[in-house]
Amino acid sequence: MFGKGASSSKSMEIIGSEKKFSVLIVDDDPIIRKIHSALLSKFTKEIQEVKNGKEAVDLCRSGASFDIIFMDKEMPIMNGLEATKELRAMGVNSTIVGVTSCDLSSERNDFIAAGQNQCYEKPLTIEKIKSLLSELNKNN
Amino acid sequence: MVGTDLRQQLNNYIQSMRDQGILDSQFQSVQALKTEENPHFVLETITGFCSDADNGIAQMTRYLEGPVVDFTNLTGLSHFLRGSSSSIGGVRMALACRDLRRASEANNKQGCIEGMARLKHEYNSLKEGLNNISQIERQLIGNAQRGRQ
């Protein structure tokens, strides 16, 4: 999907033209979901949103799968770290990206220990998403 | 042309808010998400943000003014509003939320009272500016729709 073995610039072209990756946005803030969804729609049309970690877990348990899950940290019912641990325990191997309003440097270890692949400080930007996709391309 | 003047007026107004530190570049990132298919994106985002902020601040005031301060929920809501305000570019409001959260996490009632007052002040400034932006946006959308007819 991410052009295995391709250079990063060629991979971005592939991503830009195919737009075949799926994304799940997990955040309790409807404004964040709206903005992040609009941002991500520039890269893919396959976007779903849920408002807490439990809904994300239930969705994946029902059989839905996503290439990338953008996971907020602090949410009611089930927070992002708990949801990530649950998803990994279920065998979900999506790329999980933590997104937080807190000081990222102090929280990075928590995110990685929970099983997330990467983390960003809110809000997401076009540049952060391009950087993430480029990194995923290299790793794949 | 009227449209160009209005657009320039909008840009100038947003720049003045940036010069005052009320908004940062994130607001222009939000503007860039407006499309022909969704010309109301900025308006909808502003309306949604202000509605959430109005309700959130009212609730936080109740948590703070109750017989026993509910620091837990106050912390949670200040964090929530920090995320919202930073996503729309409301940098000073986001900082006020951060400081209020720190006071709340420390169970510092006086700090929370002062932090709440500051948050309300910053939100009122931001809200006034966003409402002015919304007015110009509505005019721009109306002009564009009339131009297509």
Side-chain angles (χ1 to χ4, degrees), chain A residues 28-32 34-35 38-39 42 74 101-102 122-123 125, chain B residues 26 32-33 41 44-45 48-49 52 79-80 82-84 87 101:
Chain A
D28 58 330
D29 187 339
I31 299 300
I32 298 272
K34 183 179 180 72
I35 291 173
L39 255 181
K42 294 183 181 296
E74 296 196 23
S101 300
C102 296
K122 284 181 188 177
T125 61
Chain B
Q26 174 61 20
L33 297 174
F41 181 83
E44 290 169 356
T45 304
F49 166 73
D52 287 349
H79 174 76
F80 181 91
R82 180 187 177 184
S84 272
S87 73
R101 177 179 168 145

Side-chain angles (χ1 to χ4, degrees), chain A residues 4 48 62 68 72 76 90-91 99-100 126 131 133 135 137:
Chain A
K4 194 173 180 179
Q48 287 192 51
S62 73
I68 308 175
D72 184 22
M90 285 163 53
V99 188
T100 180
I126 293 275
S131 166
L133 294 177
E135 195 176 317
N137 261 323

Side-chain angles (χ1 to χ4, degrees), chain A residues 68-116:
Chain A
I68 308 175
I69 299 175
F70 288 94
M71 182 78 76
D72 184 22
K73 189 188 177 197
E74 296 196 23
M75 295 177 284
I77 303 175
M78 185 185 285
N79 68 39
L81 298 182
E82 292 166 348
T84 299
K85 289 175 187 171
E86 187 78 22
L87 290 170
R88 293 305 190 209
M90 285 163 53
V92 170
N93 59 7
S94 307
T95 296
I96 301 180
V97 179
V99 188
T100 180
S101 300
C102 296
D103 176 25
L104 189 59
S105 56
S106 65
E107 302 208 327
R108 185 177 292 276
N109 288 342
D110 291 343
F111 282 128
I112 302 303
Q116 294 181 357

Side-chain angles (χ1 to χ4, degrees), chain B residues 9-79:
Chain B
Q9 184 183 339
L10 178 63
N11 292 341
N12 291 344
Y13 190 79
I14 291 168
Q15 186 57 49
S16 76
M17 287 184 73
R18 288 193 62 179
D19 292 341
Q20 294 173 71
I22 298 172
L23 282 179
D24 66 12
S25 60
Q26 174 61 20
F27 185 78
Q28 278 143 318
S29 300
V30 172
Q31 282 184 296
L33 297 174
K34 178 178 168 180
T35 62
E36 274 194 20
E37 292 79 25
N38 191 3
H40 296 92
F41 181 83
V42 176
L43 276 178
E44 290 169 356
T45 304
I46 289 174
T47 302
F49 166 73
C50 290
S51 174
D52 287 349
D54 284 338
N55 291 335
I57 288 173
Q59 188 62 43
M60 288 162 75
T61 303
R62 285 192 286 273
Y63 289 144
L64 188 53
E65 293 179 353
V68 178
V69 176
D70 186 343
F71 288 112
T72 303
N73 280 316
L74 192 56
T75 297
L77 261 183
S78 57
H79 174 76

